[in-house]
Amino acid sequence: MTGALAPTKPLTAVDRCDRCGAQAYVRAVLAGGGELLFCAHHGRKYGETLRAKGAEIHDETDRLLETPAPPPEDER
């Protein structure tokens, strides 16, 4: 075993924050195994503390800034 973490799947709309139930955008993979999911707010609140304890943080909050593509002309 190399100790490297397996890549994680991108978070989807069904992934919910373990703290408040909102859509999750942050995954904390814990050093001892397991993971926690957080919304952007709780990810910011707990992220640095978890990182300091050895968790690997996968932050997808940049997706909140994405603008959806407009529909094609023939679908407007």
Side-chain angles (χ1 to χ4, degrees), residues 8-37:
T8 56
K9 297 183 297 186
L11 295 168
T12 68
V14 298
D15 293 309
R16 310 314 284 180
C17 177
D18 289 325
R19 187 74 175 114
C20 70
Q23 184 173 346
Y25 288 95
V26 177
R27 174 184 279 122
V29 180
L30 306 176
E35 67 180 23
L36 296 169
L37 302 178

Side-chain angles (χ1 to χ4, degrees), residues 16-63:
R16 310 314 284 180
C17 177
D18 289 325
R19 187 74 175 114
C20 70
Q23 184 173 346
Y25 288 95
V26 177
R27 174 184 279 122
V29 180
L30 306 176
E35 67 180 23
L36 296 169
L37 302 178
F38 294 111
C39 63
H41 165 77
H42 286 112
R44 284 189 301 273
K45 184 172 182 178
Y46 300 115
E48 288 308 313
T49 301
L50 288 165
R51 185 176 278 122
K53 294 179 184 273
E56 183 175 331
I57 307 298
H58 300 270
D59 187 341
E60 298 181 17
T61 55
D62 57 329
R63 293 179 29 220

